[in-house]
Amino acid sequence: MAKKAKLSEMTDMFKDVDILSLEGVTIEGDIEIELDGLGGGFDPMLAAILGQENAVLAQHFARLAGIFGVPVGIGAPAAGAPAAPAISPALAAPKFKDLIPAKFSFENFAEWATPIQEVPIGNTSADGGSRGKRVLVGGEKALPFFPDAVMPNRNQVTIDVFDMRIGLAKAVKENYDEVMDSPGEWAKKNVEKFNADMITIHLISTDPLVKDTPAKEAAKTVEEVLQAVDVPIAIGGSGNPQKDPEVLARAAEVAEGERCLIASASLNLDYAKIAEAALKYDHDVLSWTQLDMNSQKELNRKLMKQCNVPRDRIIMDPTTAALGYGLDYAYTNMERIRLAALMGDEELTFPMSSGTTNAWGARESWMVSSPLKEDSDWGPREYRGPIWEIVTGLSLAIAGNDLFMMMHPTSVAVLKHITQTLFGSIEAEPIDLANWIGSGV
Amino acid sequence: MKINSPLEAYKYLPQTNCGECGEPTCMAFASKLIDRSGKTTDCPPLVKEKKFAKKLAELDKLLAPEIREVAIGVGDRVAKIGGDDVLYRHKLTFFNKTKMFFDVTDTMEEAALVERVKKITDYKKFYVGRNLLLDGVAIRAASNDPAKFAAAVKKVIENTELPVILCSFNPAVLKAGLEVAKDKNPLLYAANKDNWKEVGELALEYKVPVVVSAFNDLDTLKSLAKTFAEAGIKDIVLDPGTYPSGKGLKDTFTNFLKIRRAGIMGDTEIAYPIMAMPLTAWMSGISDPVSASYWETVLSSVFTIRYGDIMLLHSMEPYATMPEVHLAETIYTDPRSPVAVDSKMYKVGTPDENSPVLFTTNFALTYYTVESDLASNGINCWLLAVNTDGIGVEASVAGGQLTADKVKEAFEKSGFDLKKDVTHNTVITPGLAARLQGDIEDKLGAKVLVGPMDSGRLPGFMEKNWPPK
């Protein structure tokens, strides 16, 4: 099926300090592009157009995510040079006689004896909710994609929706510009066009420093999103420690029975109030700490022991730092947590979630060019942003992360394709590597 | 490494505390051997005196990393690969950042070849006080013609100091390339089960590191490595094949895990650095070049993390090279190196009583990023690193490690008085700490300007907002 996509008007995100007021930037007219069919085992997400002043670049980019499927109908790679001539006899020397036979062997790690808790998100009618499906994360018995034990559940992606129009990187904004004033439409577009497994609705307007929207009013947006889509949802506060407990408790109430993921409980706010509301109205709790394994254990322990949150309702967010801005801490924090859990630390045996959208905080993802003259050319930023989000998310998927909170549709498509390939559910035509040297690359 | 405590290494040392290695005692030197910041060659008596010869040999065997370290190229751009001791970076650190070699072919136009080689050589991306670089050139004998290949190799080594890889399965072609590049210590790609005798001969004759290649066949790979090792070839690199898609990619990922685990757990016959080939993304039928380049970066990322020590890459687009060099830097950063800088007042350039005063956190990454943005744009100012236990601005504001009190405390501890040491009694906060503006004004009794979200925008901010009205 062919899909039409429009290069919508682009706005520049960080033009000046005041993040909320933006100068409009227009490109010469809008270009409508016909996209060829999306085929193959993996239904690659249509990449919304990463707009570009130069139409030719836009054409390339328009096909970006559309191609990650099985190379349907695309011929085998260009025929390489003719087969190498026979080895000239003069070179064969007697020194080596025969290949010494050898057997490669490999053992599983016996110490990985403790499975990770499997946590369901979303209630279908059978479970007392109205979701069309239930998402399962966790349940691993080894590090992700390792041969020691089959990974029971694939990675899941929940795409961001904000309860107000906010400043976004140019390459992001043009995918959502026409739906940013209606969270319901925004959520629908994320599911229908961008293949979101789940939706995250961020109630950022409730921040006293933003619009200070009352909790009761913000909860209406949650209802709007629940009506608009039937995928499980995550509900985010504004990050304001004083107000979030009240906002999230109210949201939990209006979403009763839907088993949403309430984001987040943390040590520097009234986590008990959030946990209590999550239990009362049948939700899961996101246990958020800042890049510190011990405080993650502490918060999980408090949620379980003080607030009686059952194990199958806890997902951890150990914090995601962007590539180049602390990803090594985020990566190692997650890998250590997952290894400790597999080896028996019951305070850490939970699935993990990553705020991969943080990758867009890295200047490399949005800045027009390098602030340093000596740097090699950074090239167009429309191409840098998505790959920054992909590499940040992919690294954490390898460290142990299960659920990804993401923003850019192309990043979602590519991250899903690589994680599902490593998970083993993607078919592709076998490729002959033997002539890579002569191949047309 | 077979031993992991300084005490065990101490047994093999002269134990005379002579100090020639620069350490006060042999025990201090022993701990440097264990954390691999020191080498046995740093101890002159151990190396020179006959009576220690047996102990030195034994100690070197015990200290040798589980995975062999192989050097490619010569001079200061030599590429060292392998040499790891652990499966997870937090257990010690990873050694020798994944090295990235970009391809050229001997069928390219000469001008295009030279331009590409220069681009690979001159690439640099500034990051926290240093430049991230690309590591080498892989010359593919696409022509399969010895003379053509030799000409291309010659042209490459005339135009770069970087190490090179000679790529062909045809020994005659490899020999022609070796003749030209023999004093550049090139890596020979590759021996397989059809040509291993001839390529083995070449490796021995020219004393160069060599790749053994067996696509998705670990028994043959191990057999090739074992045979070469028995014949005295020690500098071996493994190419288990990098399939770019579907089940092939899944198998490749599993092969890398298995090889590295076996090597670290003691199978010395396969304990060699591994070569990954993200360049095969261009053979997987992706027609759009931007999508193919993205997929190459995805493969490069997977194998930077799971055990690729050297990589063959193709796309030179900035949106490919930038994330690739940054991820290698990230994964190979030594987790043992301190996270924080001292929390005190720093001078950037030559500030005076009229220069602006800014603060940031003492997280090493945050501090150096801000400092380099200011310094490289010639902004003379005072920069206060507030102690947030080494956490960045956004996370420490959210986590409560960065508050108005902490800023006040940091000013007092540094002995810097906004009212006396500068004329304007103004401080500039990071954009991400905007919510602290009011509190800071009250606590410091000073004027507060909210700076940009990203320190890269400080030059523009200063032009517009400094000096304050």
Side-chain angles (χ1 to χ4, degrees), chain A residues 399-423:
Chain A
N401 192 63
D402 303 280
L403 175 65
F404 294 84
M405 297 188 171
M406 299 182 73
M407 179 129 86
H408 195 286
T410 302
S411 310
V412 170
V414 177
L415 189 81
K416 287 179 102 168
H417 194 68
I418 181 63
T419 51
Q420 288 172 32
T421 300
L422 296 176
F423 180 68

PDB file of all heavy atoms in Angstrom, chain A residues 399-423:
ATOM      1  N   ALA A 399      22.474  -3.807  27.398  1.00  0.00           N
ATOM      2  CA  ALA A 399      22.822  -3.846  28.830  1.00  0.00           C
ATOM      3  C   ALA A 399      21.730  -4.531  29.645  1.00  0.00           C
ATOM      4  O   ALA A 399      21.992  -4.998  30.759  1.00  0.00           O
ATOM      5  CB  ALA A 399      23.027  -2.433  29.356  1.00  0.00           C
ATOM      6  N   GLY A 400      20.479  -4.569  29.107  1.00  0.00           N
ATOM      7  CA  GLY A 400      19.426  -5.239  29.867  1.00  0.00           C
ATOM      8  C   GLY A 400      18.091  -4.530  29.837  1.00  0.00           C
ATOM      9  O   GLY A 400      17.107  -5.026  30.385  1.00  0.00           O
ATOM     10  N   ASN A 401      18.002  -3.369  29.193  1.00  0.00           N
ATOM     11  CA  ASN A 401      16.737  -2.631  29.241  1.00  0.00           C
ATOM     12  C   ASN A 401      15.627  -3.312  28.446  1.00  0.00           C
ATOM     13  O   ASN A 401      15.874  -3.873  27.385  1.00  0.00           O
ATOM     14  CB  ASN A 401      16.944  -1.214  28.694  1.00  0.00           C
ATOM     15  CG  ASN A 401      15.741  -0.343  29.015  1.00  0.00           C
ATOM     16  OD1 ASN A 401      15.437  -0.093  30.184  1.00  0.00           O
ATOM     17  ND2 ASN A 401      15.045   0.076  27.962  1.00  0.00           N
ATOM     18  N   ASP A 402      14.399  -3.251  28.934  1.00  0.00           N
ATOM     19  CA  ASP A 402      13.269  -3.949  28.298  1.00  0.00           C
ATOM     20  C   ASP A 402      12.323  -3.009  27.556  1.00  0.00           C
ATOM     21  O   ASP A 402      11.911  -3.278  26.426  1.00  0.00           O
ATOM     22  CB  ASP A 402      12.465  -4.689  29.395  1.00  0.00           C
ATOM     23  CG  ASP A 402      13.327  -5.661  30.173  1.00  0.00           C
ATOM     24  OD1 ASP A 402      13.551  -6.774  29.646  1.00  0.00           O
ATOM     25  OD2 ASP A 402      13.826  -5.309  31.264  1.00  0.00           O
ATOM     26  N   LEU A 403      11.953  -1.871  28.241  1.00  0.00           N
ATOM     27  CA  LEU A 403      10.940  -0.954  27.689  1.00  0.00           C
ATOM     28  C   LEU A 403      11.620   0.371  27.341  1.00  0.00           C
ATOM     29  O   LEU A 403      12.427   0.879  28.109  1.00  0.00           O
ATOM     30  CB  LEU A 403       9.848  -0.715  28.754  1.00  0.00           C
ATOM     31  CG  LEU A 403       8.757   0.302  28.443  1.00  0.00           C
ATOM     32  CD1 LEU A 403       7.884  -0.168  27.261  1.00  0.00           C
ATOM     33  CD2 LEU A 403       7.854   0.526  29.681  1.00  0.00           C
ATOM     34  N   PHE A 404      11.234   0.940  26.150  1.00  0.00           N
ATOM     35  CA  PHE A 404      11.888   2.166  25.696  1.00  0.00           C
ATOM     36  C   PHE A 404      10.860   3.281  25.547  1.00  0.00           C
ATOM     37  O   PHE A 404       9.881   3.121  24.805  1.00  0.00           O
ATOM     38  CB  PHE A 404      12.595   1.925  24.357  1.00  0.00           C
ATOM     39  CG  PHE A 404      13.740   0.967  24.483  1.00  0.00           C
ATOM     40  CD1 PHE A 404      13.526  -0.397  24.441  1.00  0.00           C
ATOM     41  CD2 PHE A 404      15.023   1.446  24.706  1.00  0.00           C
ATOM     42  CE1 PHE A 404      14.578  -1.285  24.605  1.00  0.00           C
ATOM     43  CE2 PHE A 404      16.080   0.562  24.867  1.00  0.00           C
ATOM     44  CZ  PHE A 404      15.854  -0.813  24.822  1.00  0.00           C
ATOM     45  N   MET A 405      11.068   4.382  26.269  1.00  0.00           N
ATOM     46  CA  MET A 405      10.221   5.566  26.091  1.00  0.00           C
ATOM     47  C   MET A 405      10.918   6.436  25.046  1.00  0.00           C
ATOM     48  O   MET A 405      11.998   6.969  25.288  1.00  0.00           O
ATOM     49  CB  MET A 405      10.072   6.307  27.435  1.00  0.00           C
ATOM     50  CG  MET A 405       9.376   5.465  28.485  1.00  0.00           C
ATOM     51  SD  MET A 405       9.003   6.428  29.980  1.00  0.00           S
ATOM     52  CE  MET A 405       7.963   5.262  30.858  1.00  0.00           C
ATOM     53  N   MET A 406      10.303   6.546  23.842  1.00  0.00           N
ATOM     54  CA  MET A 406      11.018   7.184  22.744  1.00  0.00           C
ATOM     55  C   MET A 406      10.181   8.283  22.107  1.00  0.00           C
ATOM     56  O   MET A 406       9.004   8.457  22.403  1.00  0.00           O
ATOM     57  CB  MET A 406      11.386   6.121  21.685  1.00  0.00           C
ATOM     58  CG  MET A 406      12.297   5.045  22.234  1.00  0.00           C
ATOM     59  SD  MET A 406      12.778   3.815  21.007  1.00  0.00           S
ATOM     60  CE  MET A 406      13.935   4.778  20.010  1.00  0.00           C
ATOM     61  N   MET A 407      10.866   8.996  21.169  1.00  0.00           N
ATOM     62  CA  MET A 407      10.216  10.182  20.604  1.00  0.00           C
ATOM     63  C   MET A 407      10.145  10.144  19.075  1.00  0.00           C
ATOM     64  O   MET A 407       9.112  10.393  18.488  1.00  0.00           O
ATOM     65  CB  MET A 407      11.017  11.417  21.049  1.00  0.00           C
ATOM     66  CG  MET A 407      10.472  12.714  20.524  1.00  0.00           C
ATOM     67  SD  MET A 407      10.266  13.883  21.850  1.00  0.00           S
ATOM     68  CE  MET A 407      11.939  14.539  21.858  1.00  0.00           C
ATOM     69  N   HIS A 408      11.277   9.839  18.415  1.00  0.00           N
ATOM     70  CA  HIS A 408      11.274  10.008  16.958  1.00  0.00           C
ATOM     71  C   HIS A 408      10.854   8.708  16.252  1.00  0.00           C
ATOM     72  O   HIS A 408      11.408   7.642  16.536  1.00  0.00           O
ATOM     73  CB  HIS A 408      12.677  10.430  16.495  1.00  0.00           C
ATOM     74  CG  HIS A 408      12.688  10.957  15.104  1.00  0.00           C
ATOM     75  ND1 HIS A 408      12.558  10.130  13.994  1.00  0.00           N
ATOM     76  CD2 HIS A 408      12.749  12.220  14.618  1.00  0.00           C
ATOM     77  CE1 HIS A 408      12.579  10.873  12.901  1.00  0.00           C
ATOM     78  NE2 HIS A 408      12.683  12.146  13.251  1.00  0.00           N
ATOM     79  N   PRO A 409       9.913   8.788  15.322  1.00  0.00           N
ATOM     80  CA  PRO A 409       9.383   7.583  14.670  1.00  0.00           C
ATOM     81  C   PRO A 409      10.452   6.752  13.961  1.00  0.00           C
ATOM     82  O   PRO A 409      10.398   5.512  13.972  1.00  0.00           O
ATOM     83  CB  PRO A 409       8.393   8.120  13.639  1.00  0.00           C
ATOM     84  CG  PRO A 409       8.233   9.552  13.873  1.00  0.00           C
ATOM     85  CD  PRO A 409       9.261  10.024  14.841  1.00  0.00           C
ATOM     86  N   THR A 410      11.432   7.413  13.374  1.00  0.00           N
ATOM     87  CA  THR A 410      12.476   6.644  12.677  1.00  0.00           C
ATOM     88  C   THR A 410      13.319   5.877  13.700  1.00  0.00           C
ATOM     89  O   THR A 410      13.665   4.717  13.490  1.00  0.00           O
ATOM     90  CB  THR A 410      13.378   7.616  11.883  1.00  0.00           C
ATOM     91  OG1 THR A 410      12.536   8.325  10.979  1.00  0.00           O
ATOM     92  CG2 THR A 410      14.445   6.873  11.125  1.00  0.00           C
ATOM     93  N   SER A 411      13.600   6.525  14.830  1.00  0.00           N
ATOM     94  CA  SER A 411      14.369   5.826  15.875  1.00  0.00           C
ATOM     95  C   SER A 411      13.594   4.612  16.364  1.00  0.00           C
ATOM     96  O   SER A 411      14.177   3.544  16.589  1.00  0.00           O
ATOM     97  CB  SER A 411      14.630   6.784  17.041  1.00  0.00           C
ATOM     98  OG  SER A 411      15.151   8.007  16.568  1.00  0.00           O
ATOM     99  N   VAL A 412      12.277   4.794  16.513  1.00  0.00           N
ATOM    100  CA  VAL A 412      11.442   3.670  16.971  1.00  0.00           C
ATOM    101  C   VAL A 412      11.545   2.518  15.977  1.00  0.00           C
ATOM    102  O   VAL A 412      11.798   1.362  16.342  1.00  0.00           O
ATOM    103  CB  VAL A 412       9.960   4.122  17.101  1.00  0.00           C
ATOM    104  CG1 VAL A 412       9.047   2.920  17.338  1.00  0.00           C
ATOM    105  CG2 VAL A 412       9.830   5.143  18.223  1.00  0.00           C
ATOM    106  N   ALA A 413      11.420   2.842  14.687  1.00  0.00           N
ATOM    107  CA  ALA A 413      11.425   1.788  13.652  1.00  0.00           C
ATOM    108  C   ALA A 413      12.757   1.031  13.661  1.00  0.00           C
ATOM    109  O   ALA A 413      12.792  -0.199  13.650  1.00  0.00           O
ATOM    110  CB  ALA A 413      11.187   2.428  12.287  1.00  0.00           C
ATOM    111  N   VAL A 414      13.845   1.787  13.722  1.00  0.00           N
ATOM    112  CA  VAL A 414      15.162   1.144  13.613  1.00  0.00           C
ATOM    113  C   VAL A 414      15.481   0.364  14.891  1.00  0.00           C
ATOM    114  O   VAL A 414      15.982  -0.759  14.840  1.00  0.00           O
ATOM    115  CB  VAL A 414      16.259   2.200  13.321  1.00  0.00           C
ATOM    116  CG1 VAL A 414      17.630   1.544  13.284  1.00  0.00           C
ATOM    117  CG2 VAL A 414      15.975   2.884  11.992  1.00  0.00           C
ATOM    118  N   LEU A 415      15.131   0.919  16.048  1.00  0.00           N
ATOM    119  CA  LEU A 415      15.415   0.211  17.307  1.00  0.00           C
ATOM    120  C   LEU A 415      14.619  -1.092  17.369  1.00  0.00           C
ATOM    121  O   LEU A 415      15.123  -2.142  17.770  1.00  0.00           O
ATOM    122  CB  LEU A 415      15.077   1.072  18.530  1.00  0.00           C
ATOM    123  CG  LEU A 415      15.577   0.432  19.835  1.00  0.00           C
ATOM    124  CD1 LEU A 415      17.062   0.722  20.040  1.00  0.00           C
ATOM    125  CD2 LEU A 415      14.793   0.881  21.042  1.00  0.00           C
ATOM    126  N   LYS A 416      13.350  -1.026  16.911  1.00  0.00           N
ATOM    127  CA  LYS A 416      12.548  -2.250  16.919  1.00  0.00           C
ATOM    128  C   LYS A 416      13.178  -3.284  15.986  1.00  0.00           C
ATOM    129  O   LYS A 416      13.280  -4.463  16.309  1.00  0.00           O
ATOM    130  CB  LYS A 416      11.103  -1.952  16.494  1.00  0.00           C
ATOM    131  CG  LYS A 416      10.332  -1.215  17.571  1.00  0.00           C
ATOM    132  CD  LYS A 416       8.905  -0.915  17.119  1.00  0.00           C
ATOM    133  CE  LYS A 416       7.935  -1.879  17.747  1.00  0.00           C
ATOM    134  NZ  LYS A 416       6.535  -1.545  17.632  1.00  0.00           N
ATOM    135  N   HIS A 417      13.665  -2.814  14.837  1.00  0.00           N
ATOM    136  CA  HIS A 417      14.190  -3.773  13.855  1.00  0.00           C
ATOM    137  C   HIS A 417      15.452  -4.462  14.382  1.00  0.00           C
ATOM    138  O   HIS A 417      15.576  -5.690  14.284  1.00  0.00           O
ATOM    139  CB  HIS A 417      14.497  -3.048  12.536  1.00  0.00           C
ATOM    140  CG  HIS A 417      14.711  -3.995  11.400  1.00  0.00           C
ATOM    141  ND1 HIS A 417      13.693  -4.776  10.872  1.00  0.00           N
ATOM    142  CD2 HIS A 417      15.831  -4.330  10.709  1.00  0.00           C
ATOM    143  CE1 HIS A 417      14.172  -5.529   9.910  1.00  0.00           C
ATOM    144  NE2 HIS A 417      15.465  -5.281   9.784  1.00  0.00           N
ATOM    145  N   ILE A 418      16.351  -3.708  15.002  1.00  0.00           N
ATOM    146  CA  ILE A 418      17.603  -4.349  15.482  1.00  0.00           C
ATOM    147  C   ILE A 418      17.320  -5.219  16.707  1.00  0.00           C
ATOM    148  O   ILE A 418      17.807  -6.342  16.798  1.00  0.00           O
ATOM    149  CB  ILE A 418      18.723  -3.313  15.760  1.00  0.00           C
ATOM    150  CG1 ILE A 418      20.005  -4.043  16.244  1.00  0.00           C
ATOM    151  CG2 ILE A 418      18.316  -2.246  16.744  1.00  0.00           C
ATOM    152  CD1 ILE A 418      20.631  -4.989  15.249  1.00  0.00           C
ATOM    153  N   THR A 419      16.469  -4.747  17.637  1.00  0.00           N
ATOM    154  CA  THR A 419      16.241  -5.573  18.841  1.00  0.00           C
ATOM    155  C   THR A 419      15.481  -6.844  18.464  1.00  0.00           C
ATOM    156  O   THR A 419      15.762  -7.919  18.994  1.00  0.00           O
ATOM    157  CB  THR A 419      15.443  -4.784  19.914  1.00  0.00           C
ATOM    158  OG1 THR A 419      14.277  -4.221  19.316  1.00  0.00           O
ATOM    159  CG2 THR A 419      16.291  -3.699  20.557  1.00  0.00           C
ATOM    160  N   GLN A 420      14.555  -6.745  17.517  1.00  0.00           N
ATOM    161  CA  GLN A 420      13.818  -7.959  17.117  1.00  0.00           C
ATOM    162  C   GLN A 420      14.708  -8.890  16.298  1.00  0.00           C
ATOM    163  O   GLN A 420      14.556 -10.113  16.326  1.00  0.00           O
ATOM    164  CB  GLN A 420      12.552  -7.566  16.356  1.00  0.00           C
ATOM    165  CG  GLN A 420      11.504  -6.965  17.308  1.00  0.00           C
ATOM    166  CD  GLN A 420      10.310  -6.388  16.578  1.00  0.00           C
ATOM    167  OE1 GLN A 420       9.922  -6.885  15.516  1.00  0.00           O
ATOM    168  NE2 GLN A 420       9.749  -5.328  17.143  1.00  0.00           N
ATOM    169  N   THR A 421      15.694  -8.304  15.584  1.00  0.00           N
ATOM    170  CA  THR A 421      16.649  -9.168  14.858  1.00  0.00           C
ATOM    171  C   THR A 421      17.480  -9.956  15.869  1.00  0.00           C
ATOM    172  O   THR A 421      17.613 -11.179  15.761  1.00  0.00           O
ATOM    173  CB  THR A 421      17.585  -8.313  13.977  1.00  0.00           C
ATOM    174  OG1 THR A 421      16.782  -7.590  13.026  1.00  0.00           O
ATOM    175  CG2 THR A 421      18.567  -9.196  13.220  1.00  0.00           C
ATOM    176  N   LEU A 422      18.003  -9.270  16.888  1.00  0.00           N
ATOM    177  CA  LEU A 422      18.820  -9.955  17.903  1.00  0.00           C
ATOM    178  C   LEU A 422      17.954 -10.909  18.720  1.00  0.00           C
ATOM    179  O   LEU A 422      18.420 -11.949  19.187  1.00  0.00           O
ATOM    180  CB  LEU A 422      19.509  -8.932  18.816  1.00  0.00           C
ATOM    181  CG  LEU A 422      20.525  -8.028  18.119  1.00  0.00           C
ATOM    182  CD1 LEU A 422      21.083  -6.987  19.092  1.00  0.00           C
ATOM    183  CD2 LEU A 422      21.669  -8.838  17.511  1.00  0.00           C
ATOM    184  N   PHE A 423      16.679 -10.565  18.863  1.00  0.00           N
ATOM    185  CA  PHE A 423      15.732 -11.427  19.594  1.00  0.00           C
ATOM    186  C   PHE A 423      15.479 -12.706  18.796  1.00  0.00           C
ATOM    187  O   PHE A 423      15.171 -13.757  19.353  1.00  0.00           O
ATOM    188  CB  PHE A 423      14.431 -10.635  19.788  1.00  0.00           C
ATOM    189  CG  PHE A 423      13.325 -11.341  20.515  1.00  0.00           C
ATOM    190  CD1 PHE A 423      13.447 -11.653  21.870  1.00  0.00           C
ATOM    191  CD2 PHE A 423      12.161 -11.702  19.841  1.00  0.00           C
ATOM    192  CE1 PHE A 423      12.422 -12.303  22.544  1.00  0.00           C
ATOM    193  CE2 PHE A 423      11.137 -12.349  20.516  1.00  0.00           C
ATOM    194  CZ  PHE A 423      11.255 -12.646  21.874  1.00  0.00           C
TER     195      PHE A 423
END
